[in-house]
Amino acid sequence: MKEITKSAALIAAASGIVFGAVTPLTASAADTSLKWTKCTGSGLDPRQQCATLEVPMDYARPGGPKIDLALSRIPSEKPSARRGALLLIPGGPGGTSLGDPSGKGQKLPQAVRDTYDLIGFAPRGNAPSTALSCGLDRADLALSKLRPWPAPDGSVTENMSNARRLSGDCARNGGELMRHLTTKNNARDIDRIRAALGERKLSAWGVSYGTYVGAAYNEMFPQHTDRIVLDSNDNPDPVRAERAWLAAYEAGVEDNFPEFAKWASAPGNPYRLAGTAAEVRPLFLRLAARLDREPIPWPGASPEELNGNVLRQTMLDSLYDPDEYPTLAKLIAAARKGTVPPAPPSPPDAVMQNVVAVGAATVCNDAAWPRDAATYQKGVDASRAKYPLTAGLPRSAMVCAAWPWQPKESPVRITDRGPSNVLLVQNKRDVATPLSGALKLRAALGRRAVMVTVNSTGHEAYLENGNACGDETVSRFLATGERPRRDVYCK
């Protein structure tokens, strides 16, 4: 859900349980007969191969129904230097790394591509793995509806109503798989992938929600992990394991909006909105309030009006990447004149249905959410007073407030017990996974980790910002295992 915009846009352009009474599976018990064939699809590196792995839908019943996981790989470019496999763990929940060996994997330096087979996958529920859908009405696929923006007066009544409707659709249309999407099961799937690859240990590069999955894998299967890079890091709070990502937007927007304001007031900027950075925030807040009262029709958009929450959602999306600042600036400029720009393109409905279902199931199954409106209303009121840019969203009620099932097991608790093989890399200004949350993961891991903080803006750090200090530190660790002795700040 966290990266629903990014994941959908990108799509559109073997383990045992170590908790409970289930007998762990060994590598020898796993399916090691992966059949690699040429991948279908356009824009892929001709070297990329694809395979399918069967895993239990419910690890408490390993002999029960099975689901498929779609895998991809590009083998090491220098077999004599090969160390093992590097799993690319996507964000989301709802993201896939199936195309990443051909994509961001090719941005890795040669030494890293020589050291590893690059492995991508579509996590459980994500097409083309056995896919999930809630069968939502098309109107409910609008981002400003999926993100629980309160009403203009701050009321959460409609959010609670949306939660009941959406969760009801998921319960009716999602099937049994809907109940078995969790971070712990994602980690168990990863160990099945490791075993099927024939690897004794697995290295990984996890991004965003993938950092929580990667940390969970290292917690649950420490004996099977090699070099672990966690990039753009989630708050690992075990009580608020999944609610923390929504709450993080309070800090994330406050960290990032000043950068947009400086850009939007810079002389010579063709999208300049104001003479000084200090003028941009009140300008935005006034415009959002006006659109709350007087929405502008927006044919072809989803929804087909520009209201205050659509503007706020556009702000949130644009702060993920400074390259998206013009999108927000153009919308602000048009709305101030009472007009709208051309309607933005939307991902195919089938893609959105899949991404939304996977995000909802994972977030809601991982940890129990409050179910009473009063709890959310109290949080929203406090958040709106302190963080007006996000208008109460970070503490509002999403689909999990009415989820029909309780979690089957407790969330992963990240600890400082285990191998010291983790390197965290983090932008200083990240709207979705802010530095304040990343520091909590760093503290939870203790001696197991070292953290590289990069003085950059946006979501995703490694190989994304042209910061030589940060990129070289991570690349050196992946290629050689050399890790800084202490935390590093890269200017």
Side-chain angles (χ1 to χ4, degrees):
M1 300 289 279
K2 181 185 309 173
E3 296 190 339
I4 191 169
T5 307
K6 199 165 191 176
S7 300
L10 287 171
I11 296 171
S15 80
I17 299 178
V18 296
F19 307 103
V22 180
T23 303
L25 296 172
T26 64
S28 61
D31 175 10
T32 56
S33 57
L34 291 174
K35 297 178 181 178
W36 295 100
T37 61
K38 181 177 176 60
C39 297
T40 59
S42 59
L44 298 176
D45 190 299
R47 297 170 299 170
Q48 181 168 309
Q49 304 166 318
C50 288
T52 300
L53 174 66
E54 191 176 77
V55 300
M57 180 166 64
D58 181 357
Y59 278 92
R61 295 190 299 140
K66 303 296 192 293
I67 58 173
D68 289 337
L69 298 181
L71 312 181
S72 63
R73 76 170 180 183
I74 292 181
S76 159
E77 296 181 24
K78 187 177 181 182
S80 63
R82 183 186 183 279
R83 178 181 179 86
L86 178 68
L87 184 70
L88 308 174
I89 308 178
T96 171
S97 62
L98 207 57
D100 284 355
S102 294
K104 76 176 192 178
Q106 296 309 303
K107 296 168 64 176
L108 290 162
Q110 188 68 51
V112 178
R113 302 201 311 274
D114 290 346
T115 303
Y116 301 102
D117 296 345
L118 304 181
I119 308 297
F121 71 116
R124 60 171 50 211
N126 289 269
S129 297
T130 302
L132 198 62
S133 173
C134 289
L136 303 181
D137 289 342
R138 191 173 192 279
D140 286 330
L141 297 176
L143 287 178
S144 56
K145 180 73 67 70
L146 293 168
R147 295 277 174 82
W149 294 100
D153 65 356
S155 169
V156 301
T157 299
E158 186 175 353
N159 297 144
M160 294 297 292
S161 176
N162 290 343
R164 289 188 292 270
R165 185 178 65 259
L166 299 182
S167 63
D169 288 343
C170 289
R172 281 189 297 274
N173 303 320
E176 181 64 17
L177 179 56
M178 182 71 67
R179 303 186 65 180
H180 300 286
L181 265 67
T182 66
T183 297
K184 282 186 171 178
N185 280 341
N186 283 331
R188 291 163 183 143
D189 289 346
I190 286 174
D191 207 55
R192 281 295 183 93
I193 293 171
R194 174 202 60 78
L197 292 170
E199 299 293 336
R200 186 173 65 88
K201 292 190 174 185
L202 188 67
S203 293
W205 171 16
V207 177
S208 193
Y209 167 69
T211 65
Y212 187 42
V213 176
Y217 180 63
N218 204 17
E219 194 71 32
M220 295 168 65
F221 302 95
Q223 73 278 21
H224 291 158
T225 60
D226 191 13
R227 299 168 184 167
I228 305 297
V229 171
L230 304 180
D231 176 352
S232 306
N233 297 276
D234 268 341
N235 181 337
D237 186 321
V239 177
R240 289 158 45 92
E242 292 293 5
R243 297 203 300 280
W245 74 262
L246 194 61
Y249 284 127
E250 288 177 345
V253 168
E254 290 300 326
D255 289 346
N256 282 265
F257 195 88
E259 297 300 306
F260 170 74
K262 286 189 289 186
W263 173 89
S265 59
N269 182 352
Y271 305 107
R272 192 180 191 190
L273 297 173
T276 66
E279 297 173 77
V280 177
R281 179 186 295 250
L283 181 157
F284 177 87
L285 292 172
R286 286 194 302 270
L287 179 60
R290 192 188 90 193
L291 292 171
D292 283 337
R293 298 187 304 269
E294 304 169 3
I296 302 172
W298 201 358
S302 179
E304 291 199 333
E305 69 173 22
L306 174 56
N307 56 41
N309 284 340
V310 171
L311 179 68
R312 295 180 185 103
Q313 182 62 50
T314 304
M315 177 266 295
L316 201 59
D317 296 341
S318 299
L319 294 184
Y320 271 74
D321 185 344
D323 288 346
E324 295 300 317
Y325 286 174
T327 299
L328 177 58
K330 286 187 284 188
L331 185 59
I332 291 172
R336 293 177 74 189
K337 299 175 184 176
T339 62
V340 290
S346 297
D349 283 359
V351 171
M352 287 297 294
Q353 291 280 9
N354 185 216
V355 172
V356 169
V358 172
T362 308
V363 168
C364 300
N365 289 336
D366 260 10
W369 290 55
R371 305 182 78 82
D372 60 299
T375 297
Y376 293 105
Q377 192 64 67
K378 181 179 179 181
V380 164
D381 292 345
S383 184
R384 286 167 64 88
K386 191 173 182 180
Y387 304 100
L389 285 171
T390 44
L393 164 79
R395 304 191 203 182
S396 192
M398 57 176 292
V399 60
C400 305
W403 200 242
W405 306 290
Q406 290 297 309
K408 290 178 175 289
E409 50 188 342
S410 60
V412 180
R413 181 179 291 274
I414 308 302
T415 72
D416 61 359
R417 298 183 298 275
S420 182
N421 63 350
V422 181
L423 181 64
L424 282 65
V425 59
Q426 178 71 34
N427 285 339
K428 187 176 180 181
R429 294 167 296 278
D430 183 329
V431 69
T433 54
L435 179 59
S436 53
L439 289 171
K440 292 183 177 179
L441 179 58
R442 171 68 186 89
L445 288 166
R447 64 167 187 82
R448 299 173 66 186
V450 172
M451 183 166 172
V452 180
T453 304
V454 180
N455 185 19
S456 296
T457 301
H459 188 52
E460 300 188 18
Y462 180 44
L463 304 179
E464 286 293 322
N465 306 297
N467 186 293
C469 164
D471 291 349
E472 289 171 5
T473 302
V474 177
S475 297
R476 187 181 308 114
F477 171 64
L478 286 174
T480 70
E482 181 184 341
R483 196 180 65 167
R485 293 191 175 189
R486 59 183 61 86
D487 292 353
V488 173
Y489 179 74
C490 289
K491 294 182 180 180

PDB file of all heavy atoms in Angstrom, residues 388-417:
ATOM      1  N   PRO A 388      -0.696  20.014   9.475  1.00  0.00           N
ATOM      2  CA  PRO A 388      -1.800  20.368   8.567  1.00  0.00           C
ATOM      3  C   PRO A 388      -1.600  19.909   7.128  1.00  0.00           C
ATOM      4  O   PRO A 388      -2.581  19.694   6.412  1.00  0.00           O
ATOM      5  CB  PRO A 388      -1.868  21.895   8.656  1.00  0.00           C
ATOM      6  CG  PRO A 388      -0.545  22.329   9.213  1.00  0.00           C
ATOM      7  CD  PRO A 388      -0.082  21.218  10.086  1.00  0.00           C
ATOM      8  N   LEU A 389      -0.370  19.733   6.684  1.00  0.00           N
ATOM      9  CA  LEU A 389      -0.147  19.318   5.300  1.00  0.00           C
ATOM     10  C   LEU A 389      -0.757  17.950   5.017  1.00  0.00           C
ATOM     11  O   LEU A 389      -1.270  17.709   3.917  1.00  0.00           O
ATOM     12  CB  LEU A 389       1.355  19.296   4.981  1.00  0.00           C
ATOM     13  CG  LEU A 389       2.038  20.651   4.790  1.00  0.00           C
ATOM     14  CD1 LEU A 389       3.544  20.471   4.710  1.00  0.00           C
ATOM     15  CD2 LEU A 389       1.525  21.352   3.529  1.00  0.00           C
ATOM     16  N   THR A 390      -0.704  17.058   6.000  1.00  0.00           N
ATOM     17  CA  THR A 390      -1.232  15.706   5.781  1.00  0.00           C
ATOM     18  C   THR A 390      -2.668  15.557   6.264  1.00  0.00           C
ATOM     19  O   THR A 390      -3.261  14.484   6.119  1.00  0.00           O
ATOM     20  CB  THR A 390      -0.338  14.656   6.445  1.00  0.00           C
ATOM     21  OG1 THR A 390       0.029  15.082   7.765  1.00  0.00           O
ATOM     22  CG2 THR A 390       0.926  14.437   5.633  1.00  0.00           C
ATOM     23  N   ALA A 391      -3.249  16.583   6.863  1.00  0.00           N
ATOM     24  CA  ALA A 391      -4.695  16.680   7.108  1.00  0.00           C
ATOM     25  C   ALA A 391      -5.293  15.489   7.854  1.00  0.00           C
ATOM     26  O   ALA A 391      -6.460  15.173   7.672  1.00  0.00           O
ATOM     27  CB  ALA A 391      -5.430  16.877   5.773  1.00  0.00           C
ATOM     28  N   GLY A 392      -4.498  14.812   8.672  1.00  0.00           N
ATOM     29  CA  GLY A 392      -5.017  13.710   9.474  1.00  0.00           C
ATOM     30  C   GLY A 392      -4.869  12.337   8.858  1.00  0.00           C
ATOM     31  O   GLY A 392      -5.126  11.324   9.521  1.00  0.00           O
ATOM     32  N   LEU A 393      -4.459  12.246   7.584  1.00  0.00           N
ATOM     33  CA  LEU A 393      -4.302  10.955   6.912  1.00  0.00           C
ATOM     34  C   LEU A 393      -3.486   9.946   7.716  1.00  0.00           C
ATOM     35  O   LEU A 393      -3.891   8.783   7.845  1.00  0.00           O
ATOM     36  CB  LEU A 393      -3.657  11.162   5.535  1.00  0.00           C
ATOM     37  CG  LEU A 393      -3.082   9.891   4.879  1.00  0.00           C
ATOM     38  CD1 LEU A 393      -4.201   9.081   4.251  1.00  0.00           C
ATOM     39  CD2 LEU A 393      -2.028  10.238   3.841  1.00  0.00           C
ATOM     40  N   PRO A 394      -2.331  10.324   8.276  1.00  0.00           N
ATOM     41  CA  PRO A 394      -1.472   9.301   8.888  1.00  0.00           C
ATOM     42  C   PRO A 394      -2.085   8.573  10.080  1.00  0.00           C
ATOM     43  O   PRO A 394      -1.574   7.527  10.478  1.00  0.00           O
ATOM     44  CB  PRO A 394      -0.236  10.108   9.307  1.00  0.00           C
ATOM     45  CG  PRO A 394      -0.205  11.279   8.381  1.00  0.00           C
ATOM     46  CD  PRO A 394      -1.652  11.635   8.224  1.00  0.00           C
ATOM     47  N   ARG A 395      -3.164   9.113  10.649  1.00  0.00           N
ATOM     48  CA  ARG A 395      -3.760   8.428  11.811  1.00  0.00           C
ATOM     49  C   ARG A 395      -5.215   8.042  11.550  1.00  0.00           C
ATOM     50  O   ARG A 395      -5.946   7.734  12.478  1.00  0.00           O
ATOM     51  CB  ARG A 395      -3.667   9.332  13.043  1.00  0.00           C
ATOM     52  CG  ARG A 395      -2.243   9.779  13.340  1.00  0.00           C
ATOM     53  CD  ARG A 395      -2.116  10.451  14.687  1.00  0.00           C
ATOM     54  NE  ARG A 395      -0.951  11.323  14.739  1.00  0.00           N
ATOM     55  CZ  ARG A 395      -0.564  12.008  15.806  1.00  0.00           C
ATOM     56  NH1 ARG A 395      -1.259  11.910  16.925  1.00  0.00           N
ATOM     57  NH2 ARG A 395       0.503  12.784  15.760  1.00  0.00           N
ATOM     58  N   SER A 396      -5.594   8.023  10.289  1.00  0.00           N
ATOM     59  CA  SER A 396      -6.988   7.742   9.954  1.00  0.00           C
ATOM     60  C   SER A 396      -7.218   6.240   9.766  1.00  0.00           C
ATOM     61  O   SER A 396      -6.304   5.427   9.882  1.00  0.00           O
ATOM     62  CB  SER A 396      -7.397   8.518   8.705  1.00  0.00           C
ATOM     63  OG  SER A 396      -8.799   8.467   8.524  1.00  0.00           O
ATOM     64  N   ALA A 397      -8.468   5.881   9.465  1.00  0.00           N
ATOM     65  CA  ALA A 397      -8.900   4.485   9.376  1.00  0.00           C
ATOM     66  C   ALA A 397      -8.875   4.005   7.937  1.00  0.00           C
ATOM     67  O   ALA A 397      -9.587   4.551   7.093  1.00  0.00           O
ATOM     68  CB  ALA A 397     -10.310   4.346   9.946  1.00  0.00           C
ATOM     69  N   MET A 398      -8.048   3.004   7.668  1.00  0.00           N
ATOM     70  CA  MET A 398      -8.053   2.385   6.352  1.00  0.00           C
ATOM     71  C   MET A 398      -8.789   1.051   6.430  1.00  0.00           C
ATOM     72  O   MET A 398      -9.451   0.729   7.425  1.00  0.00           O
ATOM     73  CB  MET A 398      -6.640   2.241   5.809  1.00  0.00           C
ATOM     74  CG  MET A 398      -5.676   1.455   6.666  1.00  0.00           C
ATOM     75  SD  MET A 398      -4.078   1.259   5.857  1.00  0.00           S
ATOM     76  CE  MET A 398      -4.521   0.179   4.505  1.00  0.00           C
ATOM     77  N   VAL A 399      -8.691   0.249   5.392  1.00  0.00           N
ATOM     78  CA  VAL A 399      -9.479  -0.972   5.270  1.00  0.00           C
ATOM     79  C   VAL A 399      -9.308  -1.883   6.481  1.00  0.00           C
ATOM     80  O   VAL A 399     -10.238  -2.596   6.880  1.00  0.00           O
ATOM     81  CB  VAL A 399      -9.117  -1.697   3.959  1.00  0.00           C
ATOM     82  CG1 VAL A 399      -7.655  -2.070   3.921  1.00  0.00           C
ATOM     83  CG2 VAL A 399      -9.995  -2.913   3.740  1.00  0.00           C
ATOM     84  N   CYS A 400      -8.141  -1.857   7.110  1.00  0.00           N
ATOM     85  CA  CYS A 400      -7.875  -2.753   8.240  1.00  0.00           C
ATOM     86  C   CYS A 400      -8.768  -2.469   9.445  1.00  0.00           C
ATOM     87  O   CYS A 400      -8.904  -3.325  10.323  1.00  0.00           O
ATOM     88  CB  CYS A 400      -6.412  -2.637   8.664  1.00  0.00           C
ATOM     89  SG  CYS A 400      -5.244  -2.936   7.323  1.00  0.00           S
ATOM     90  N   ALA A 401      -9.385  -1.297   9.513  1.00  0.00           N
ATOM     91  CA  ALA A 401     -10.260  -0.977  10.635  1.00  0.00           C
ATOM     92  C   ALA A 401     -11.498  -1.867  10.655  1.00  0.00           C
ATOM     93  O   ALA A 401     -12.179  -1.955  11.689  1.00  0.00           O
ATOM     94  CB  ALA A 401     -10.683   0.489  10.573  1.00  0.00           C
ATOM     95  N   ALA A 402     -11.801  -2.523   9.539  1.00  0.00           N
ATOM     96  CA  ALA A 402     -12.959  -3.416   9.476  1.00  0.00           C
ATOM     97  C   ALA A 402     -12.574  -4.791   8.930  1.00  0.00           C
ATOM     98  O   ALA A 402     -13.430  -5.535   8.465  1.00  0.00           O
ATOM     99  CB  ALA A 402     -14.054  -2.792   8.605  1.00  0.00           C
ATOM    100  N   TRP A 403     -11.302  -5.133   8.984  1.00  0.00           N
ATOM    101  CA  TRP A 403     -10.829  -6.403   8.427  1.00  0.00           C
ATOM    102  C   TRP A 403     -11.532  -7.568   9.125  1.00  0.00           C
ATOM    103  O   TRP A 403     -11.641  -7.591  10.349  1.00  0.00           O
ATOM    104  CB  TRP A 403      -9.324  -6.510   8.590  1.00  0.00           C
ATOM    105  CG  TRP A 403      -8.650  -7.500   7.692  1.00  0.00           C
ATOM    106  CD1 TRP A 403      -7.954  -8.613   8.059  1.00  0.00           C
ATOM    107  CD2 TRP A 403      -8.571  -7.437   6.262  1.00  0.00           C
ATOM    108  NE1 TRP A 403      -7.461  -9.254   6.957  1.00  0.00           N
ATOM    109  CE2 TRP A 403      -7.823  -8.561   5.832  1.00  0.00           C
ATOM    110  CE3 TRP A 403      -9.074  -6.554   5.306  1.00  0.00           C
ATOM    111  CZ2 TRP A 403      -7.566  -8.814   4.488  1.00  0.00           C
ATOM    112  CZ3 TRP A 403      -8.812  -6.794   3.972  1.00  0.00           C
ATOM    113  CH2 TRP A 403      -8.067  -7.923   3.568  1.00  0.00           C
ATOM    114  N   PRO A 404     -12.024  -8.539   8.370  1.00  0.00           N
ATOM    115  CA  PRO A 404     -12.865  -9.576   8.987  1.00  0.00           C
ATOM    116  C   PRO A 404     -12.102 -10.638   9.774  1.00  0.00           C
ATOM    117  O   PRO A 404     -12.723 -11.456  10.448  1.00  0.00           O
ATOM    118  CB  PRO A 404     -13.573 -10.202   7.781  1.00  0.00           C
ATOM    119  CG  PRO A 404     -12.668  -9.946   6.626  1.00  0.00           C
ATOM    120  CD  PRO A 404     -12.020  -8.625   6.897  1.00  0.00           C
ATOM    121  N   TRP A 405     -10.765 -10.637   9.682  1.00  0.00           N
ATOM    122  CA  TRP A 405      -9.988 -11.669  10.360  1.00  0.00           C
ATOM    123  C   TRP A 405      -8.975 -11.038  11.308  1.00  0.00           C
ATOM    124  O   TRP A 405      -8.467  -9.939  11.064  1.00  0.00           O
ATOM    125  CB  TRP A 405      -9.235 -12.534   9.346  1.00  0.00           C
ATOM    126  CG  TRP A 405     -10.112 -13.111   8.302  1.00  0.00           C
ATOM    127  CD1 TRP A 405     -11.056 -14.083   8.465  1.00  0.00           C
ATOM    128  CD2 TRP A 405     -10.150 -12.757   6.909  1.00  0.00           C
ATOM    129  NE1 TRP A 405     -11.670 -14.364   7.272  1.00  0.00           N
ATOM    130  CE2 TRP A 405     -11.133 -13.554   6.294  1.00  0.00           C
ATOM    131  CE3 TRP A 405      -9.440 -11.845   6.112  1.00  0.00           C
ATOM    132  CZ2 TRP A 405     -11.431 -13.479   4.939  1.00  0.00           C
ATOM    133  CZ3 TRP A 405      -9.736 -11.756   4.768  1.00  0.00           C
ATOM    134  CH2 TRP A 405     -10.728 -12.571   4.198  1.00  0.00           C
ATOM    135  N   GLN A 406      -8.663 -11.751  12.368  1.00  0.00           N
ATOM    136  CA  GLN A 406      -7.592 -11.357  13.271  1.00  0.00           C
ATOM    137  C   GLN A 406      -6.287 -11.994  12.806  1.00  0.00           C
ATOM    138  O   GLN A 406      -6.288 -13.047  12.169  1.00  0.00           O
ATOM    139  CB  GLN A 406      -7.916 -11.810  14.705  1.00  0.00           C
ATOM    140  CG  GLN A 406      -9.050 -11.038  15.349  1.00  0.00           C
ATOM    141  CD  GLN A 406      -8.724  -9.561  15.511  1.00  0.00           C
ATOM    142  OE1 GLN A 406      -7.675  -9.200  16.047  1.00  0.00           O
ATOM    143  NE2 GLN A 406      -9.623  -8.705  15.045  1.00  0.00           N
ATOM    144  N   PRO A 407      -5.142 -11.369  13.123  1.00  0.00           N
ATOM    145  CA  PRO A 407      -3.862 -11.969  12.738  1.00  0.00           C
ATOM    146  C   PRO A 407      -3.712 -13.388  13.278  1.00  0.00           C
ATOM    147  O   PRO A 407      -4.104 -13.676  14.412  1.00  0.00           O
ATOM    148  CB  PRO A 407      -2.832 -11.021  13.352  1.00  0.00           C
ATOM    149  CG  PRO A 407      -3.545  -9.713  13.481  1.00  0.00           C
ATOM    150  CD  PRO A 407      -4.969 -10.066  13.795  1.00  0.00           C
ATOM    151  N   LYS A 408      -3.139 -14.269  12.446  1.00  0.00           N
ATOM    152  CA  LYS A 408      -2.921 -15.649  12.861  1.00  0.00           C
ATOM    153  C   LYS A 408      -1.720 -15.798  13.783  1.00  0.00           C
ATOM    154  O   LYS A 408      -1.612 -16.768  14.538  1.00  0.00           O
ATOM    155  CB  LYS A 408      -2.720 -16.533  11.621  1.00  0.00           C
ATOM    156  CG  LYS A 408      -3.974 -16.738  10.777  1.00  0.00           C
ATOM    157  CD  LYS A 408      -3.655 -17.592   9.552  1.00  0.00           C
ATOM    158  CE  LYS A 408      -4.918 -17.920   8.762  1.00  0.00           C
ATOM    159  NZ  LYS A 408      -5.777 -18.876   9.475  1.00  0.00           N
ATOM    160  N   GLU A 409      -0.781 -14.865  13.723  1.00  0.00           N
ATOM    161  CA  GLU A 409       0.405 -14.923  14.559  1.00  0.00           C
ATOM    162  C   GLU A 409       0.899 -13.506  14.804  1.00  0.00           C
ATOM    163  O   GLU A 409       0.496 -12.566  14.128  1.00  0.00           O
ATOM    164  CB  GLU A 409       1.490 -15.791  13.924  1.00  0.00           C
ATOM    165  CG  GLU A 409       1.807 -15.458  12.488  1.00  0.00           C
ATOM    166  CD  GLU A 409       2.747 -16.458  11.835  1.00  0.00           C
ATOM    167  OE1 GLU A 409       3.429 -17.213  12.564  1.00  0.00           O
ATOM    168  OE2 GLU A 409       2.818 -16.494  10.592  1.00  0.00           O
ATOM    169  N   SER A 410       1.761 -13.349  15.780  1.00  0.00           N
ATOM    170  CA  SER A 410       2.245 -12.022  16.149  1.00  0.00           C
ATOM    171  C   SER A 410       3.202 -11.493  15.088  1.00  0.00           C
ATOM    172  O   SER A 410       3.811 -12.269  14.346  1.00  0.00           O
ATOM    173  CB  SER A 410       2.956 -12.079  17.500  1.00  0.00           C
ATOM    174  OG  SER A 410       4.058 -12.961  17.432  1.00  0.00           O
ATOM    175  N   PRO A 411       3.349 -10.162  15.009  1.00  0.00           N
ATOM    176  CA  PRO A 411       4.294  -9.594  14.036  1.00  0.00           C
ATOM    177  C   PRO A 411       5.733  -9.999  14.352  1.00  0.00           C
ATOM    178  O   PRO A 411       6.055 -10.419  15.467  1.00  0.00           O
ATOM    179  CB  PRO A 411       4.120  -8.082  14.200  1.00  0.00           C
ATOM    180  CG  PRO A 411       2.838  -7.907  14.929  1.00  0.00           C
ATOM    181  CD  PRO A 411       2.648  -9.114  15.767  1.00  0.00           C
ATOM    182  N   VAL A 412       6.591  -9.869  13.353  1.00  0.00           N
ATOM    183  CA  VAL A 412       8.019 -10.119  13.552  1.00  0.00           C
ATOM    184  C   VAL A 412       8.577  -9.073  14.516  1.00  0.00           C
ATOM    185  O   VAL A 412       8.310  -7.879  14.371  1.00  0.00           O
ATOM    186  CB  VAL A 412       8.778 -10.039  12.217  1.00  0.00           C
ATOM    187  CG1 VAL A 412      10.261 -10.308  12.427  1.00  0.00           C
ATOM    188  CG2 VAL A 412       8.196 -11.008  11.209  1.00  0.00           C
ATOM    189  N   ARG A 413       9.367  -9.519  15.455  1.00  0.00           N
ATOM    190  CA  ARG A 413      10.077  -8.589  16.338  1.00  0.00           C
ATOM    191  C   ARG A 413      11.549  -8.591  15.926  1.00  0.00           C
ATOM    192  O   ARG A 413      12.233  -9.608  16.043  1.00  0.00           O
ATOM    193  CB  ARG A 413       9.940  -8.994  17.803  1.00  0.00           C
ATOM    194  CG  ARG A 413      10.643  -8.028  18.761  1.00  0.00           C
ATOM    195  CD  ARG A 413      10.453  -8.446  20.209  1.00  0.00           C
ATOM    196  NE  ARG A 413       9.075  -8.272  20.638  1.00  0.00           N
ATOM    197  CZ  ARG A 413       8.581  -7.122  21.107  1.00  0.00           C
ATOM    198  NH1 ARG A 413       9.366  -6.054  21.201  1.00  0.00           N
ATOM    199  NH2 ARG A 413       7.326  -7.032  21.474  1.00  0.00           N
ATOM    200  N   ILE A 414      12.029  -7.462  15.439  1.00  0.00           N
ATOM    201  CA  ILE A 414      13.420  -7.340  15.008  1.00  0.00           C
ATOM    202  C   ILE A 414      14.293  -7.112  16.235  1.00  0.00           C
ATOM    203  O   ILE A 414      14.018  -6.238  17.056  1.00  0.00           O
ATOM    204  CB  ILE A 414      13.593  -6.188  14.004  1.00  0.00           C
ATOM    205  CG1 ILE A 414      12.583  -6.333  12.843  1.00  0.00           C
ATOM    206  CG2 ILE A 414      15.023  -6.136  13.490  1.00  0.00           C
ATOM    207  CD1 ILE A 414      12.687  -7.626  12.080  1.00  0.00           C
ATOM    208  N   THR A 415      15.362  -7.903  16.363  1.00  0.00           N
ATOM    209  CA  THR A 415      16.218  -7.833  17.550  1.00  0.00           C
ATOM    210  C   THR A 415      17.680  -7.667  17.159  1.00  0.00           C
ATOM    211  O   THR A 415      18.045  -7.711  15.979  1.00  0.00           O
ATOM    212  CB  THR A 415      16.080  -9.122  18.392  1.00  0.00           C
ATOM    213  OG1 THR A 415      16.741 -10.204  17.706  1.00  0.00           O
ATOM    214  CG2 THR A 415      14.616  -9.489  18.614  1.00  0.00           C
ATOM    215  N   ASP A 416      18.525  -7.519  18.182  1.00  0.00           N
ATOM    216  CA  ASP A 416      19.967  -7.403  17.962  1.00  0.00           C
ATOM    217  C   ASP A 416      20.675  -8.748  18.096  1.00  0.00           C
ATOM    218  O   ASP A 416      21.899  -8.806  18.187  1.00  0.00           O
ATOM    219  CB  ASP A 416      20.573  -6.383  18.929  1.00  0.00           C
ATOM    220  CG  ASP A 416      20.380  -6.778  20.385  1.00  0.00           C
ATOM    221  OD1 ASP A 416      19.769  -7.835  20.656  1.00  0.00           O
ATOM    222  OD2 ASP A 416      20.832  -6.014  21.266  1.00  0.00           O
ATOM    223  N   ARG A 417      19.903  -9.836  18.065  1.00  0.00           N
ATOM    224  CA  ARG A 417      20.482 -11.178  18.176  1.00  0.00           C
ATOM    225  C   ARG A 417      20.546 -11.810  16.791  1.00  0.00           C
ATOM    226  O   ARG A 417      19.524 -11.937  16.105  1.00  0.00           O
ATOM    227  CB  ARG A 417      19.644 -12.049  19.117  1.00  0.00           C
ATOM    228  CG  ARG A 417      19.588 -11.513  20.540  1.00  0.00           C
ATOM    229  CD  ARG A 417      18.816 -12.447  21.469  1.00  0.00           C
ATOM    230  NE  ARG A 417      17.424 -12.607  21.061  1.00  0.00           N
ATOM    231  CZ  ARG A 417      16.457 -11.764  21.404  1.00  0.00           C
ATOM    232  NH1 ARG A 417      16.717 -10.696  22.144  1.00  0.00           N
ATOM    233  NH2 ARG A 417      15.208 -11.996  21.008  1.00  0.00           N
TER     234      ARG A 417
END
